[in-house]
């Protein structure tokens, strides 16, 4: 088989390998069933590339495939990663505008999405993204019928629902990045103030990713110590307003980064790489991610909506949803999110 | 001392930490001499941020400081890194347009630089960068008099010379990223063709970083096996100038990435992080980096030029230059590079 390599095109002999290395006697050929982990990232923009590069640096996969509609940009990004070969473990990096390059992926991460035009309604943006996902999701599902789909594009909850419908996959294999990053921003603010490590802060934001996310104050603990009770034990009464201002600060922090640098990339890169690791390595870790939420916390069984709840993730996707105690108000907010998302989905004509 | 944290401004009580955690009895205060490693990155553009993010992911330092002239962009980049706190070891991340933020750095990495205006002469570009470095280097040297300076901005060899002159540092503490990345691209091409791991390919490009770099074919080896004789056994290789074509392909690959995606970032990020690790962790590893080359390979003692040679790097910077055997032709090319750089430097008003 003619070797495909740019050195061959330059006249470098094809058989130098044989002159340098010899196999042992009676070696069997490689088994066709040996697993080679593969992650595909759809969309080579700022978010897609931050995710791809973090996955590469953290050595999470044997093969990384990139897909984008812009072939030059895509090829440039692929080369820029390949050129770091001397500094990284050997990961095979592929790129093509053709979805065939994603064949046999363990995880497909979708970051492609239309950006909101100023003044555009949310429904209109969603219609445009629905058209885009109709081009993206069916080929992904066809080339990797057993893959886990991880949706990052916004608005993530509805787009994850759309990806689920278009793929025909069982719902445990279709996940949205949801409030995984919001929760990290929440934990960062708390940890920074308390001078603890963010990894010792357990604090979930759940529900819809965005303005109406729900901060689960009652379930926040630091080093195992629930802190809401510390509030109420305190002499000074804590106004409900303070908690809501903190939640808003978390939601605003994304807009703040966009206002300052034009987009966000690094944090979502780490967030998604963290999800990819938990899934691929069957970690059984709990992450707040967007999943099919009907039947939980009073959301009616017939309301097929995706929103974020703390879930155990592993090799087969969503293993379970953690049975976290919600206050009545928190559960009420979740149900209201579910209603709003359901109404929006009805208008899509999917 | 009033705690500076955005949660305080939102009304979150300052004394929560005291109710959650209690110190043990008779604990001594932290020692002022306890070393915390610190790396500063000057320039929060694509290159600077790729370097900063890779250093963060690879957990190379306790503190990371970012400096840029654009305060909003800088603040946005800092927040985007901080928001990943839940997914990373606890690294203190600071950012300011004021060089005071770089105080007591172990390594200062300079990525800031003027971009070449189409049609601009190389000398003119250099004069503009000299003006920029006159603002950057003296404050860095003042705030971290013992630091290692790592110059990435291009044209790196002359800018490393400029940084050396402006800092007043001994030459072992002023290093340019030089041909470290070119060598990685070289090793990638060879490894890809030979189907080996790039880390098993020993192949240095030295001399001036750029069009006139020198490929050290005579000292190239794979798994300890010298391969030049394998290559030149093939008459076609010799006749068609294949080796020179390969060297040119390596030089071209940088331009190719720029043409395709607009700039390079990921590979230089890994390359600089790799150098930072060898320096900070005193690894005594050999890297081709831009250093004060006078006295080596026949370069006259009075020609104070910086160009890349394979050097051992450690906590005090350049420990030594590897005594690699060069053919007469390779040494002559080096000396020609040195002459060109020397003449260029004479024209600068330094």
């Amino acid at each position: 088989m003619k070797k495909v390599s740019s050195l061959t095109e330059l006249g470098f002999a094809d058989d130098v390998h044989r002159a340098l290395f010899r196999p042992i006697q009676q070696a069997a050929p490689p088994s066709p069933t040996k697993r080679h982990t593969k992650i595909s990232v759809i969309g080579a923009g700022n978010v897609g590339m931050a995710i791809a590069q973090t996955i590469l640096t953290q050595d999470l996969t044997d093969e990384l495939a990139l897909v984008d509609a812009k072939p030059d940009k895509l090829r440039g990004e692929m080369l820029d990663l390949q050129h770091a070969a001397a500094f990284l473990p050997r990961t095979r990096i592929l790129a093509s505008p053709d979805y065939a390059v994603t064949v046999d992926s363990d995880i497909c991460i979708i970051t492609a999405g239309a950006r909101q035009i100023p003044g555009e309604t949310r429904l209109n943006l969603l219609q445009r993204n629905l058209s885009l996902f109709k081009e993206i999701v069916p080929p992904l599902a066809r080339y990797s019928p057993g893959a886990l789909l991880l949706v990052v594009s916004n608005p993530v909850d509805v787009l994850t629902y759309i990806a689920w419908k278009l793929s025909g996959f069982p719902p445990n294999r279709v996940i949205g990045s949801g409030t995984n990053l919001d929760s990290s921003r929440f934990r960062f603010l708390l940890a920074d103030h308390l001078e603890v490590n963010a990894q010792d802060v357990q604090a979930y934001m759940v529900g819809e990713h965005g303005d109406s996310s729900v901060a689960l104050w009652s379930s926040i603990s630091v080093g195992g110590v629930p802190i809401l009770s510390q509030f109420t034990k305190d002499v000074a009464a804590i106004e409900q307003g303070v908690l809501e201002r903190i939640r808003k600060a978390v939601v605003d922090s994304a807009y703040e980064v966009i206002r300052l640098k034009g987009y966000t990339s690094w944090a979502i890169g780490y967030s998604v790489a963290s999800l990819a690791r938990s899934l691929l390595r069957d970690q059984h870790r709990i992450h707040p991610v967007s999943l099919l939420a009907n039947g939980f916390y009073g959301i009616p069984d017939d309301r097929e909506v995706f929103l974020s709840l703390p879930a155990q993730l592993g090799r087969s996707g969503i293993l379970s949803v953690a049975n976290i105690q919600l206050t009545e108000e928190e559960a009420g907010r979740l149900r209201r999110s579910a209603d709003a998302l359901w109404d929006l989905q009805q208008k899509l004509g999917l």
Side-chain angles (χ1 to χ4, degrees), chain A:
Chain A
M1 186 182 91
K2 184 172 179 348
K3 205 174 293 193
V4 176
S5 151
S6 52
L7 285 197
T8 308
E9 293 140 29
L10 294 172
F12 207 94
D14 270 346
D15 55 2
V16 184
H17 187 267
R18 280 206 316 272
L20 290 173
F21 300 105
R22 284 196 300 172
I24 57 171
Q25 305 249 354
Q26 298 164 311
S31 160
T33 56
K34 249 193 307 228
R35 281 303 295 146
H36 203 68
T37 54
K38 178 170 177 174
I39 297 179
S40 290
V41 178
I42 315 305
N46 293 313
V47 172
M49 287 316 299
I51 291 169
Q53 189 261 18
T54 307
I55 282 171
L56 199 65
T57 315
Q58 293 183 345
D59 195 22
L60 292 183
T61 186
D62 299 316
E63 241 177 81
L64 180 66
L66 306 171
V67 180
D68 196 274
K70 302 192 187 99
D72 279 0
K73 161 79 162 163
L74 182 64
R75 181 169 165 77
E77 293 289 1
M78 178 193 75
L79 289 174
D80 206 4
L81 291 179
Q82 286 178 337
H83 290 166
F87 311 118
L88 288 168
R90 187 165 177 256
T91 302
R92 195 159 169 239
I93 302 169
L94 318 161
S96 174
D98 184 338
Y99 282 86
V101 77
T102 67
V103 68
D104 279 346
S105 296
D106 294 274
I107 305 180
C108 297
I109 303 174
I110 306 175
T111 72
R115 252 188 229 173
Q116 200 156 9
I117 299 163
E120 182 177 30
T121 64
R122 203 164 166 229
L123 179 60
N124 207 62
L125 171 66
L126 263 172
Q127 298 280 20
R128 294 201 290 129
N129 275 322
L130 172 54
S131 305
L132 185 63
F133 269 45
K134 279 178 175 167
E135 290 170 33
I136 295 175
V137 179
L140 279 182
R142 198 165 59 245
Y143 282 111
S144 308
L148 302 173
L149 284 185
L150 180 51
V151 180
V152 183
S153 325
N154 273 315
V156 67
D157 302 294
V158 181
L159 286 179
T160 310
Y161 167 80
I162 286 172
W164 173 53
K165 282 297 189 193
L166 292 173
S167 64
F169 284 2
N172 56 292
R173 286 205 275 121
V174 185
I175 302 156
S177 57
T179 55
N180 194 47
L181 177 52
D182 308 52
S183 301
S184 171
R185 290 184 175 124
F186 192 23
R187 291 161 68 190
F188 163 71
L189 280 178
L190 292 166
D192 197 47
H193 185 81
L194 299 173
E195 287 181 5
V196 297
N197 189 309
Q199 290 173 29
D200 284 324
V201 177
Q202 185 165 287
Y204 294 112
M205 292 192 74
V206 298
E208 191 188 354
H209 167 68
D211 299 355
S212 67
S213 55
V214 181
L216 295 186
W217 287 102
S218 53
S219 60
I220 293 172
S221 69
V222 179
V225 182
I227 65 170
L228 199 57
S229 57
Q230 297 297 330
F231 275 144
T232 53
K233 268 189 207 161
D234 208 55
V235 173
I238 298 295
E239 302 158 46
Q240 202 55 26
V242 172
L243 302 186
E244 176 55 17
R245 282 204 291 277
I246 292 167
R247 191 198 67 83
K248 277 213 156 100
V250 175
V251 171
D252 281 345
S253 57
Y255 294 121
E256 193 182 3
V257 175
I258 292 170
R259 185 179 63 78
L260 293 168
K261 67 173 258 194
Y263 55 90
T264 83
S265 58
W266 308 125
I268 186 68
Y270 286 115
S271 165
V272 174
S274 156
L275 296 175
R277 173 196 294 274
S278 287
L279 293 164
L280 210 53
R281 299 273 182 86
D282 200 29
Q283 291 294 291
H284 287 228
R285 291 210 59 185
I286 299 173
H287 296 264
V289 289
S290 192
L291 45 81
L292 184 61
N294 58 353
F296 293 101
Y297 300 107
I299 295 167
D301 282 340
D302 61 346
R303 292 273 158 122
E304 289 184 334
V305 288
F306 278 69
L307 34 81
S308 290
L309 290 170
Q312 248 198 341
L313 302 186
R315 187 58 189 83
S316 49
I318 308 272
L319 305 177
S320 63
V321 174
N323 191 17
I324 287 192
Q325 193 70 14
L326 262 56
T327 64
E328 284 191 20
E329 202 210 319
E330 289 163 348
R333 288 189 183 202
L334 260 187
R335 286 190 293 269
R336 279 196 294 278
S337 268
D339 288 341
L341 289 167
W342 180 247
D343 288 338
L344 199 52
Q345 282 169 200
Q346 298 305 96
K347 295 177 183 158
L348 285 174
L350 188 64

